[in-house]
Amino acid sequence: TPLSGMAIFLDMLDQGAYGNLNESGKSRAGSIGGALERIVAMVNDLLDIEKMQSGQFQIFKTDVDPKSIVQASLEMVQGLAEQQLVKIEVKIESINSGKIGIVHCDEARITQVLQNLLSNAIKFSPSNSVIILEVEETENSTKFAIKDYGNGISKSDIPILFEKFTQARSEEQSKQSGFGLGLSICKDIIERHGGSIGVTSEIGQGSTFWFTLPKNTSHKV
């Protein structure tokens, strides 16, 4: 609640509720707003971990169009992508070059996973580069993959990357903030869906984070 109050106050400042700010004031308010968003994200991660450990973390599955997950995730990270001067390209392929099949999942949680992976890719991508988001339908699953062209991750870091309170030492630490919980939460969500998650990466070649979801073949959308 205190954090929400701070966010509302900063929004009111931006709207001129307390008078017009000069450029220096607007810049400072924007910096504080960005820091506040990171704090809220870290608190939410801690709450999710607590729910997972206490058995209160619930998954509510429905039939979902993968394209709606992609669209919602892109909307959430668009501002960050524009700020970092990074473009996101989307490729969606079905097994028979027709309409892609639906997935039976918790739409909000899978959107959370995709948003997290996209945000990380944006943070670690150089300016004026491209991130490729691919959605591929196979016979048994739907695969989401996010390819960036950042510095990449060393092979020694990959085995521990999805553990709690862990961050890759080879990444640009100045761009990273948080407790190292995001990927651990993503892993838990995907495994609760019966899917898998992983990464392929080489130093200097960028990284591809991916996850799969079991496919519901009863419909096409």
Side-chain angles (χ1 to χ4, degrees):
T1 299
L3 296 176
S4 298
M6 294 177 193
I8 292 172
F9 174 71
L10 287 171
D11 187 53
M12 293 175 67
L13 275 181
D14 186 57
Q15 295 179 17
Y18 300 99
N20 294 325
L21 294 175
N22 58 29
E23 290 303 317
S24 178
K26 290 181 179 179
S27 176
R28 183 59 177 163
S31 298
I32 295 174
L36 183 60
E37 288 179 2
R38 292 192 292 273
I39 293 172
V40 171
M42 287 189 286
V43 170
N44 286 334
D45 283 350
L46 287 171
L47 292 174
D48 279 344
I49 287 292
E50 174 62 23
K51 291 177 182 177
M52 290 173 181
Q53 293 177 339
S54 63
Q56 298 179 359
F57 192 85
Q58 295 180 308
I59 297 293
F60 300 97
K61 296 181 181 181
T62 58
D63 288 343
V64 181
D65 180 353
K67 290 179 287 188
S68 67
I69 297 173
V70 169
Q71 183 61 35
S73 302
L74 290 176
E75 291 174 356
M76 292 177 180
V77 302
Q78 189 58 45
L80 178 61
E82 292 175 355
Q83 182 182 24
Q84 298 290 106
L85 301 179
V86 173
K87 182 180 179 181
I88 303 174
E89 293 184 357
V90 179
K91 299 179 180 179
I92 298 179
E93 299 180 359
S94 68
I95 192 171
N96 57 3
S97 299
K99 295 181 178 180
I100 194 166
I102 64 173
V103 290
H104 192 62
C105 69
D106 186 320
E107 184 172 6
R109 290 301 184 183
I110 298 302
T111 300
Q112 177 185 350
V113 171
L114 189 55
Q115 177 197 2
N116 186 290
L117 297 181
L118 284 170
S119 295
N120 285 345
I122 294 169
K123 291 176 185 177
F124 297 122
S125 291
S127 297
N128 300 309
S129 65
V130 174
I131 291 170
I132 300 174
L133 167 58
E134 292 185 326
V135 183
E136 182 182 9
E137 179 189 40
T138 66
E139 290 187 5
N140 300 316
S141 67
T142 301
K143 182 178 181 179
F144 296 75
I146 301 93
K147 166 67 177 176
D148 69 63
Y149 294 91
N151 287 341
I153 305 167
S154 68
K155 292 182 179 180
S156 61
D157 283 333
I158 289 178
I160 62 171
L161 204 57
F162 292 91
E163 295 181 5
K164 297 182 183 69
F165 304 105
T166 300
Q167 293 177 349
R169 295 182 295 274
S170 58
E171 296 282 14
E172 297 178 49
Q173 292 298 323
S174 61
K175 292 185 179 181
Q176 180 73 15
S177 62
F179 297 127
L181 293 173
L183 290 177
S184 175
I185 293 171
C186 289
K187 183 174 184 288
D188 187 282
I189 291 172
I190 296 302
E191 290 181 346
R192 287 171 186 262
H193 281 79
S196 57
I197 187 170
V199 59
T200 57
S201 183
E202 291 185 18
I203 295 296
Q205 301 297 318
S207 305
T208 300
F209 282 84
W210 57 267
F211 64 90
T212 62
L213 296 172
K215 189 180 66 173
N216 186 331
T217 59
S218 59
H219 299 85
K220 293 287 183 179
V221 294

